[in-house]
């Protein structure tokens, strides 16, 4: 998979993707991430990429031209799935990340607090938000999208990092986990987990997943029950 990120702040992306599992996926050749500063595509001698809004108002608006020029500089951009990060987009969820993970080439434009010229939208396929809160820029959202997508690619996670049991993979949250010590400050590990009875452990975990999902995410629980009736 190849991912191109269009941003005015390459320094917010590059050091982060070098780390951890995404960094490993890059060095193992499972994914190529290319960061493009679209300021380099400004047509202005001061390298400006924003201007005053027509009709007046506060703030500045990102111009369409540098963004489209940067987009067109990307080899194969026509075939890529082109995503804009914006609070006005569809809220990211696991099935959206899954559908992105089947693509060969993603291009992600990091939106900006000041907004962009409406005509930018005509050059992209979809718009994604990561939740109902305000960020200063789309870079954080782009990183969230990249992480959630890359980990679903074949060969990126090893067996013990498997995403088969992920929260949301079946529409339920995960069961509680414990590791050594068996007792910490008087708090015991549930007896069944020490029993060696795999059937009993599975039954306990299934029960805990349902209980936890019902308590914390009634919306997910109701959907799960409806699907499994
Ligand atoms: Cl994608 N961008 C910004 N600026 N704020 C957000 C967001 C995106 N998703 C949630 N809040």
């Amino acid at each position: 998979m190849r991912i191109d990120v269009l941003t005015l702040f390459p320094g917010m992306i590059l050091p982060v993707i070098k780390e951890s599992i995404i960094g490993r996926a890059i060095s193992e050749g499972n994914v190529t991430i290319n960061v493009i500063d679209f300021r380099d595509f400004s047509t202005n001698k001061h390298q400006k990429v924003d201007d005053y809004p027509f009709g007046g108002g506060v703030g500045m608006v990102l111009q369409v031209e540098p963004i489209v020029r940067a987009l067109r500089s990307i080899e194969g951009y026509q075939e890529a799935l082109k995503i804009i990060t914006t609070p006005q987009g569809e809220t990211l969820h696991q099935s959206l990340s899954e559908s992105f993970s089947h693509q060969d080439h993603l291009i992600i434009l990091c939106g900006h607090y000041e907004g962009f010229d409406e005509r930018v939208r005509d050059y992209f396929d979809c718009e994604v938000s990561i939740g109902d809160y305000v960020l200063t820029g789309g870079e954080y959202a782009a990183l969230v999208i990249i992480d959630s997508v890359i980990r679903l690619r074949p060969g990126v996670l090893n067996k013990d990092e498997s995403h088969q049991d992920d929260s949301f993979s079946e529409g339920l949250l995960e069961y509680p986990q414990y590791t050594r010590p068996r007792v910490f400050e008087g708090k015991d590990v549930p007896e069944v987990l020490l029993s060696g009875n795999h059937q009993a452990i599975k039954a306990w975990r299934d029960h805990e997943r349902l209980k936890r999902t019902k308590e914390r995410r009634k919306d997910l629980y109701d959907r799960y029950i409806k699907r499994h009736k």
Side-chain angles (χ1 to χ4, degrees):
M1 170 178 261
R2 176 185 167 128
I3 303 177
D4 289 278
V5 184
L6 300 174
T7 174
L8 292 175
F9 303 100
M12 290 178 69
I13 306 285
L14 287 167
V16 181
I17 59 174
K18 281 201 313 227
E19 299 289 331
S20 186
I21 292 170
I22 302 308
R24 188 180 70 196
I26 293 169
S27 56
E28 288 178 355
N30 278 311
V31 57
T32 305
I33 302 180
N34 183 40
V35 181
I36 299 163
D37 183 347
F38 61 85
R39 194 177 297 282
D40 296 341
F41 294 84
S42 167
T43 52
N44 180 289
K45 66 170 181 285
H46 305 292
Q47 289 211 298
K48 255 172 57 102
V49 291
D50 56 8
D51 210 333
Y52 297 99
F54 280 125
V58 290
M60 303 288 273
V61 176
L62 290 174
Q63 294 172 289
V64 61
E65 196 173 6
I67 292 170
V68 171
R69 278 166 45 115
L71 187 62
R72 289 186 175 146
S73 76
I74 301 168
E75 202 186 314
Y77 80 93
Q78 292 103 323
E79 289 76 36
L81 184 77
K82 296 174 274 291
I83 303 165
I84 302 178
T85 60
T86 161
Q88 298 177 22
E90 176 180 1
T91 308
L92 187 66
H93 46 86
Q94 190 64 19
S95 53
L96 195 55
S97 297
E98 226 156 77
S99 77
F100 292 161
S101 76
H102 300 305
Q103 299 283 330
D104 293 324
H105 188 184
L106 301 177
I107 298 174
I108 306 175
L109 170 65
C110 300
H112 217 239
Y113 64 93
E114 58 192 356
F116 44 79
D117 189 303
E118 186 67 16
R119 292 165 292 188
V120 168
R121 297 203 144 91
D122 297 345
Y123 298 86
F124 287 79
D125 301 304
C126 58
E127 302 181 18
V128 177
S129 160
I130 59 166
D132 292 339
Y133 39 80
V134 182
L135 303 170
T136 54
E139 284 74 18
Y140 304 101
L143 289 167
V144 167
I145 296 168
I146 289 168
D147 190 274
S148 71
V149 167
I150 297 298
R151 65 187 292 287
L152 295 173
R153 298 283 296 180
V156 168
L157 297 189
N158 52 46
K159 262 201 218 82
D160 47 294
E161 298 163 341
S162 164
H163 47 77
Q164 298 314 310
D165 284 342
D166 281 352
S167 287
F168 303 120
S169 72
E170 294 168 66
L172 290 178
L173 304 181
E174 273 209 67
Y175 50 77
Q177 296 267 40
Y178 297 87
T179 188
R180 278 183 285 198
R182 281 176 65 159
V183 183
F184 179 72
E185 297 190 346
K187 299 175 220 291
D188 278 317
V189 172
E191 201 61 44
V192 63
L193 298 179
L194 312 170
S195 68
N197 180 340
H198 296 294
Q199 213 178 328
I201 292 170
K202 183 176 183 312
W204 181 85
R205 286 179 167 167
D206 288 346
H207 176 259
E208 290 295 318
R209 293 187 76 187
L210 277 169
K211 185 174 131 205
R212 178 158 284 197
T213 308
K214 188 177 183 183
E215 282 166 4
R216 299 185 182 204
R217 291 293 304 272
K218 193 65 171 37
D219 56 324
L220 295 180
Y221 178 79
D222 288 342
R223 208 179 316 153
Y224 179 85
I225 295 298
K226 216 188 229 166
R227 268 199 284 119
H228 289 78
K229 253 213 284 253

